[in-house]
Amino acid sequence: VSQEEMKEKVKVFLQERLKAEDWRGRSKDLADELNNHLWVGHKKFKAMFNMSVGQYIHQTLHNKKGSSMEFDSVPHSQKEIQKREDRERRFGAHLGKEPVRMLSFEDAEVPDGDGGPISGTLTDMCSREEAKDREMTRQLDKFEWKKGTDPKHAEANLKFATKKYQRSSADKVYKSSGVRDLDTCWRTMDYLMRQILDFDENPKPGYAVSKVSYMEVYSYLRDRTRAVRVDLHLQQPRSTTHRCFAETHECCLRFEMLSLFLLTKSLVALKSGTGSTEKYDQKLGLKAMSQTIEPLMNAYKAASEKVYLKNILAGLGGDSFLDDETDDDCYCSPMEMAMHRYVILLLMSFSSEGLLQHLAKLSKPQLSHPLVSFATQAYAAFNTEDYGKFLRLYRQGDFLKAVAMS
């Protein structure tokens, strides 16, 4: 079957399924059916149509002119109608006249869409509306509870509440008032790293809980840092070269590496019968690292190119175009080479093919930097089974470097 014939089969299949049922908000289920019937997975579908299944559904729903599909005629149960009316009442108050952006990023973390960038205006770590909504639906984390509250009907402490990560759907609407500005994104990260990261060893006063495991800390931080990264991605390209973007992703990478060590150690203890019942999925941890590394590397490249452009404009006397920018708007991180070192060592341990691709993207000055050179020497020693040199290198440097080499 040719590519065009398969594409036509997929179109016919989707048209029949979309006529039969309302698939809004259920793009993953439809993608699974498509894979089961025609063996067309997510990547193959995106290669055919240059969009995800969720985006395809959204586009079809909003392209009713000349279409024979009548989605509004699909019958709904009374329960479904009541749920929709309730949802409309809950969220109707938040729909104003400001610009909105329609996006879909099913399994990806980075949103992509044609609605243009958003400039966040939310100055709280979590909006009051979201906190109250999660209070009603019992989705508050114990770190967000008001002290002394009943755990079965927990109230939100707005001082400690942070925005929760929400997976996007085809009809997901982002509004400026619901996206944190860049300063608030960093303030949220700073709060999470300073107040929550060591909570299992150093509980803080004022919180509703005092005894938690690191796995509980990790689960909370992973979700909330992911939400911060989404708010930053929504504000691209303006945010890409900002200091907040680079430092947030650097913090997230270090956090995931630290957790890889602490929770893998807990897993070993569990298997030997001396640990708790905590569970850590190393594959998900590595996936979280990859979701952090790629945008971070892109940010480094974008900042370097922007500095290069500014230098050219300055030489031509045209730098007045960029006079309104601060140093934070075009930030070249001093930690870039250290991050490259971590990435090389992690890829050495978990993805040798990805390592070669990463090295090919580095310039000669980057490869000759002492930190990067250390990582390439470690890779060469490991690859040639020179374990004596590898262990000597292992004993040098910092803790996270050793984690990556382990």
Side-chain angles (χ1 to χ4, degrees):
V1 181
S2 67
Q3 180 82 355
E4 287 302 318
E5 290 174 334
M6 178 55 73
K7 187 174 181 179
E8 195 60 35
K9 281 188 176 183
V10 171
K11 281 184 178 179
V12 172
F13 174 82
L14 289 176
Q15 187 174 12
E16 290 176 352
R17 302 301 293 127
L18 290 172
K19 279 183 178 179
E21 295 181 56
D22 185 355
W23 291 90
R24 284 173 286 194
R26 298 166 54 205
S27 58
K28 191 175 185 304
D29 295 336
L30 184 56
D32 289 341
E33 282 201 21
L34 182 62
N35 191 26
N36 292 335
H37 285 78
L38 296 177
W39 298 92
V40 176
H42 174 72
K43 290 183 179 178
K44 193 172 181 180
F45 184 89
K46 198 157 190 176
M48 286 181 178
F49 296 93
N50 200 27
M51 65 178 75
S52 67
V53 175
Q55 290 169 327
Y56 185 92
I57 295 173
H58 173 70
Q59 179 176 299
T60 306
L61 285 168
H62 288 76
N63 189 25
K64 293 186 177 182
K65 285 187 177 182
S67 173
S68 60
M69 288 182 278
E70 300 178 358
F71 293 97
D72 294 335
S73 65
V74 177
H76 301 292
S77 65
Q78 187 63 30
K79 185 177 180 180
E80 176 67 18
I81 293 173
Q82 290 176 350
K83 282 174 67 178
R84 291 188 175 201
E85 290 176 349
D86 179 61
R87 192 181 301 119
E88 185 178 352
R89 281 195 300 273
R90 282 196 293 130
F91 294 105
H94 309 313
L95 299 176
K97 295 182 179 180
E98 60 182 295
V100 297
R101 185 183 183 190
M102 307 294 290
L103 295 167
S104 174
F105 52 111
E106 295 176 325
D107 293 327
E109 180 178 73
V110 183
D112 54 354
D114 299 324
I118 284 177
S119 183
T121 59
L122 179 62
T123 56
D124 295 320
M125 295 193 297
C126 179
S127 67
R128 184 179 297 271
E129 292 80 6
E130 182 194 324
K132 292 302 178 185
D133 183 56
R134 289 199 283 118
E135 183 180 288
M136 291 171 56
T137 56
R138 299 184 185 181
Q139 294 185 56
L140 290 174
D141 193 277
K142 60 181 65 177
F143 292 108
E144 302 171 321
W145 293 351
K146 188 177 289 185
K147 193 169 185 178
T149 191
D150 179 4
K152 294 182 180 179
H153 304 284
E155 296 180 37
N157 185 335
L158 296 176
K159 180 182 176 182
F160 298 146
T162 54
K163 186 176 178 181
K164 180 180 173 65
Y165 170 77
Q166 294 182 343
R167 188 175 294 278
S168 181
S169 59
D171 56 351
K172 178 71 175 178
V173 176
Y174 290 98
K175 297 173 57 179
S176 295
S177 59
V179 177
R180 288 166 291 194
D181 61 31
L182 300 184
D183 289 339
T184 306
C185 284
W186 177 247
R187 183 160 55 85
T188 304
M189 278 297 300
D190 188 64
Y191 162 77
L192 293 171
M193 295 298 115
R194 292 181 185 273
Q195 301 298 320
I196 306 299
L197 181 60
D198 64 343
F199 204 97
D200 58 319
E201 297 286 343
N202 181 27
K204 314 296 191 300
Y207 288 82
V209 292
S210 57
K211 292 184 179 181
V212 295
S213 66
Y214 185 72
M215 187 65 205
E216 292 173 294
V217 171
Y218 172 74
S219 297
Y220 179 70
L221 288 183
R222 186 186 175 196
D223 180 272
R224 297 320 194 253
T225 55
R226 198 175 182 186
V228 172
R229 295 200 302 270
V230 169
D231 277 0
L232 290 173
H233 288 302
L234 286 167
Q235 298 177 76
Q236 287 183 310
R238 186 175 72 90
S239 65
T240 307
T241 57
H242 197 276
R243 179 173 186 167
C244 172
F245 191 98
E247 292 192 341
T248 293
H249 285 76
E250 289 169 354
C251 280
C252 288
L253 180 57
R254 293 191 191 98
F255 159 66
E256 287 292 346
M257 292 174 68
L258 173 66
S259 301
L260 175 68
F261 170 78
L262 293 175
L263 295 174
T264 302
K265 189 173 117 178
S266 298
L267 186 61
V268 171
L270 174 63
K271 289 180 179 178
S272 63
T274 60
S276 66
T277 56
E278 299 169 347
K279 292 182 179 179
Y280 172 68
D281 190 329
Q282 189 181 84
K283 289 183 179 179
L284 290 179
L286 294 173
K287 181 180 179 182
M289 288 186 208
S290 69
Q291 290 175 335
T292 302
I293 289 170
E294 185 176 355
L296 179 59
M297 296 299 112
N298 291 336
Y300 288 153
K301 183 180 179 183
S304 176
E305 290 174 348
K306 193 170 184 179
V307 169
Y308 180 70
L309 176 61
K310 286 180 70 174
N311 291 336
I312 291 177
L313 289 174
L316 297 174
D319 56 334
S320 58
F321 291 108
L322 302 172
D323 283 346
D324 58 338
E325 289 195 340
T326 65
D327 290 339
D328 284 351
D329 289 321
C330 186
Y331 180 69
C332 291
S333 173
M335 300 306 299
E336 180 178 354
M337 294 303 115
M339 292 297 115
H340 279 300
R341 179 181 65 172
Y342 294 146
V343 172
I344 291 169
L345 295 174
L346 285 167
L347 290 172
M348 175 190 72
S349 301
F350 300 105
S351 176
S352 56
E353 291 182 2
L355 171 57
L356 297 176
Q357 293 174 2
H358 181 75
L359 290 174
K361 295 177 183 178
L362 299 182
S363 64
K364 286 185 178 180
Q366 288 175 321
L367 289 170
S368 61
H369 190 279
L371 294 178
V372 178
S373 177
F374 171 92
T376 55
Q377 288 179 54
Y379 169 65
F382 181 80
N383 207 36
T384 57
E385 300 184 0
D386 186 354
Y387 299 125
K389 182 177 181 180
F390 183 83
L391 291 173
R392 285 194 297 273
L393 291 169
Y394 180 84
R395 298 183 65 180
Q396 301 172 17
D398 59 73
F399 166 71
L400 290 180
K401 177 267 308 176
V403 171
M405 293 178 71
S406 300

